[in-house]
Amino acid sequence: MLETSKSLEKAHPDDDIPNMDIVKGTPEKNDDDDDDDDIPDELKCEVVDMNNPQMDPLEWSFRKLISIPKKYYWQTGNYNVSTRTKVWHRTVGALGLSLRVAERVGEVLANITGLNSNRFNYITDHMTEEEWAAARRRAEEARLKRKEKREREKVAKEKHTIQVV
């Protein structure tokens, strides 16, 4: 049978973070969660496929440790939630904001230092269409010459190979 982990299990009866069983990254209905409509959106969590091979390992680790709310309490306007929920939402929101700021700063620094550009941009940025056409012709001729050379080497190699019978 599949193993389940109760990552969001209530630690105290007064806590308002919902129970959720995760089985291989997919939500499974609990017996006490028959009607999902009476749970406010602020208390529901985003559910993602934790077995997705395209998921970033850093995102996988973060989502394994911290659940992400579907909607923050300040987005829905429901300020009548527990302090624990407010701290949870503020923490996740602050972490998301700091990640977005760090990505933007990193992108600006990479652009300034030239890490995001091609090392020949200073040449190709000022080429005319005629120069591009000539460059494409030369590249195609070089590609054909390399192909012919590989074929000649292959024939020469087969010619000198001794077959043992």
Side-chain angles (χ1 to χ4, degrees), residues 57-74:
L58 187 60
E59 179 186 3
W60 184 89
S61 301
F62 185 81
R63 286 185 179 271
K64 193 79 170 167
L65 296 174
I66 300 173
S67 57
I68 311 293
K70 273 192 176 182
K71 291 185 180 179
Y72 296 108
Y73 72 91
W74 59 85

Side-chain angles (χ1 to χ4, degrees), residues 59-156:
E59 179 186 3
W60 184 89
S61 301
F62 185 81
R63 286 185 179 271
K64 193 79 170 167
L65 296 174
I66 300 173
S67 57
I68 311 293
K70 273 192 176 182
K71 291 185 180 179
Y72 296 108
Y73 72 91
W74 59 85
Q75 290 174 330
T76 61
N78 181 10
Y79 292 93
N80 190 21
V81 292
S82 71
T83 305
R84 180 177 180 199
T85 301
K86 289 180 182 180
V87 169
W88 169 45
H89 285 211
R90 287 287 177 193
T91 303
V92 172
L95 289 171
L97 177 65
S98 62
L99 176 65
R100 287 189 298 274
V101 168
E103 285 179 343
R104 287 190 180 121
V105 168
E107 183 178 1
V108 168
L109 290 175
N111 288 335
I112 289 172
T113 58
L115 294 175
N116 287 347
S117 64
N118 187 340
R119 68 182 199 187
F120 299 111
N121 267 359
Y122 68 97
I123 297 172
T124 58
D125 285 347
H126 303 291
M127 287 176 64
T128 63
E129 274 304 312
E130 294 83 25
E131 291 171 329
W132 272 109
R136 285 188 198 102
R137 266 194 319 276
R138 285 192 302 270
E140 184 62 24
E141 290 170 2
R143 188 186 66 76
L144 290 174
K145 283 183 183 179
R146 286 191 305 270
K147 184 178 178 182
E148 289 173 4
K149 183 179 177 185
R150 278 194 304 264
E151 289 174 358
R152 281 194 310 266
E153 289 174 352
K154 185 177 177 181
V155 169

Side-chain angles (χ1 to χ4, degrees), residues 157-164:
K157 186 177 179 182
E158 288 175 359
K159 192 177 193 180
H160 295 298
T161 303
I162 299 173
Q163 294 183 0
V164 179

